[in-house]
């Protein structure tokens, strides 16, 4: 018999119970190898629809489909043994109303094995969040900058300065009251994010929202220096893997061209020695 107690994966109520405690650590993941790395250190692996821009070269998240989220969601869930997977609901898969949202959220959960979904939107999504949570779909909400609304917002701007602050506060409160188990605050001013965190009973997870949130999330390719198309101010690069990969590929190309690779140690003899 094992001397250690069996561990079980993190579930949404565990995340809610972390309100006000040691900050929650969240990173995006889109593949099994990255999920394994995230699993070792993080509480949540977010299969963000940022996958469209980061791995598929799309100009925004608007072209991401349910099928893409299922494919990447399955890959990530396979790589996790303790961290919780949360899957983004892509643009167009939930905005029509609660029934459409339930149908697609249930498909995401059934086909990936993830125990929760994330969707963007505040007060106008409260009815949908309540409908989903009442039917066994835990929802992580997402307010402030909501990238799926980039065209109505007019860009990837800070949301919640000056007169906008009251509306963002009301959005966050509506999501919590509707039953969201946690909420992402994206590109919300630091002071407002702190006030929302103080007033909400559920954990806030910030991205570009300051240190007072109950947790932090970054896009993994950003913080590893692999996605370099642009660099938001809120990203800290903890590694320069893009530059290291570029250097490795350049060395490989140079060695192939001058026949330095493969070396004798990489080949196979014509005869097996007796
Ligand atoms: O899609 C995503 O990666 C996200 C995070 C940036 C919060 O929604």
């Amino acid at each position: 018999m094992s001397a250690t107690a069996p561990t079980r994966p993190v579930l949404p109520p565990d995340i809610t119970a972390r309100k006000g405690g040691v900050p929650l650590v969240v990173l995006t993941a889109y593949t099994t190898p990255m999920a394994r790395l995230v699993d070792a250190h993080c509480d949540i692996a977010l299969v963000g629809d940022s996958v469209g821009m980061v791995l598929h070269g799309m100009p925004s998240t608007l072209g991401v489909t349910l099928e893409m989220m299922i494919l990447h969601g399955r890959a990530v869930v396979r790589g996790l043994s303790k961290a919780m997977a949360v899957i983004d609901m892509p643009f167009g898969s939930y905005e029509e109303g609660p029934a459409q949202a339930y149908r697609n959220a249930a498909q995401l959960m059934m086909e990936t094995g993830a125990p929760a979904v994330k969707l963007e939107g505040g007060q106008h999504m409260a009815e949908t969040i309540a409908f989903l949570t009442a039917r066994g779909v835990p929802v992580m909400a997402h307010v402030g900058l909501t990238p799926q609304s980039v065209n109505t917002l007019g860009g990837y701007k800070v949301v919640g300065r000056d007169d906008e602050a009251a509306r963002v506060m009301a959005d966050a409160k509506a999501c919590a009251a509707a039953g969201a188990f946690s909420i992402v605050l994206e590109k919300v001013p630091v002071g407002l994010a702190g006030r929302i965190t103080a007033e909400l009973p559920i954990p806030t997870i910030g991205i570009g929202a300051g240190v007072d949130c109950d947790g932090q999330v970054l896009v993994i390719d950003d913080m590893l220096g692999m996605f370099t198309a642009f660099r938001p101010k809120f990203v800290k690069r903890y590694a320069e893997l893009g530059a290291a990969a570029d250097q490795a590929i350049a060395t490989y190309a140079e060695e192939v061209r001058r026949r330095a690779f493969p070396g004798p140690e990489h080949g196979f003899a014509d005869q097996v020695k007796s």
Side-chain angles (χ1 to χ4, degrees), residues 83-130:
M84 186 177 83
V86 176
I87 315 250
D88 252 343
M89 299 200 69
F91 179 65
S93 72
Y94 59 97
E95 297 89 334
E96 278 175 32
Q100 183 214 20
Y102 181 79
R103 194 166 52 250
N104 289 324
Q107 191 181 351
L108 278 175
M109 289 173 69
M110 286 163 66
E111 295 197 22
T112 64
V117 300
K118 176 166 84 59
L119 57 79
E120 297 182 5
Q123 296 162 78
H124 63 288
M125 277 298 149
E127 185 192 352
T128 295
I129 293 171

Side-chain angles (χ1 to χ4, degrees), residues 24-195:
L24 289 158
V25 183
V26 186
L27 280 173
T28 65
Y30 317 114
T31 64
T32 305
M34 279 299 189
R36 289 202 176 109
L37 293 170
V38 168
D39 190 53
H41 303 284
C42 298
D43 301 297
I44 296 175
L46 172 65
V47 189
D49 60 354
S50 50
V51 67
M53 299 171 78
V54 173
L55 289 197
H56 295 271
M58 293 177 167
S60 74
T61 57
L62 299 184
V64 175
T65 63
L66 203 65
E67 289 67 32
M68 289 168 71
M69 297 312 299
I70 289 170
L71 196 69
H72 288 285
R74 272 191 197 141
V76 167
V77 168
R78 268 183 224 124
L80 301 179
S81 61
K82 61 180 183 60
M84 186 177 83
V86 176
I87 315 250
D88 252 343
M89 299 200 69
F91 179 65
S93 72
Y94 59 97
E95 297 89 334
E96 278 175 32
Q100 183 214 20
Y102 181 79
R103 194 166 52 250
N104 289 324
Q107 191 181 351
L108 278 175
M109 289 173 69
M110 286 163 66
E111 295 197 22
T112 64
V117 300
K118 176 166 84 59
L119 57 79
E120 297 182 5
Q123 296 162 78
H124 63 288
M125 277 298 149
E127 185 192 352
T128 295
I129 293 171
F131 189 92
L132 295 181
T133 51
R135 288 162 179 78
V137 179
V139 177
M140 177 184 279
H142 183 156
V143 302
L145 170 61
T146 45
Q148 292 174 9
S149 302
V150 60
N151 292 319
T152 42
L153 291 172
Y156 297 102
K157 300 172 187 165
V158 174
V159 176
R161 284 194 173 123
D162 306 320
D163 292 349
E164 249 180 0
R167 202 256 305 151
V168 177
M169 174 66 87
D171 279 341
K173 284 185 173 172
C175 293
F181 72 90
S182 62
I183 185 166
V184 169
L185 307 180
E186 180 163 356
K187 263 193 145 175
V188 170
V190 174
L192 175 61
R195 292 196 297 282

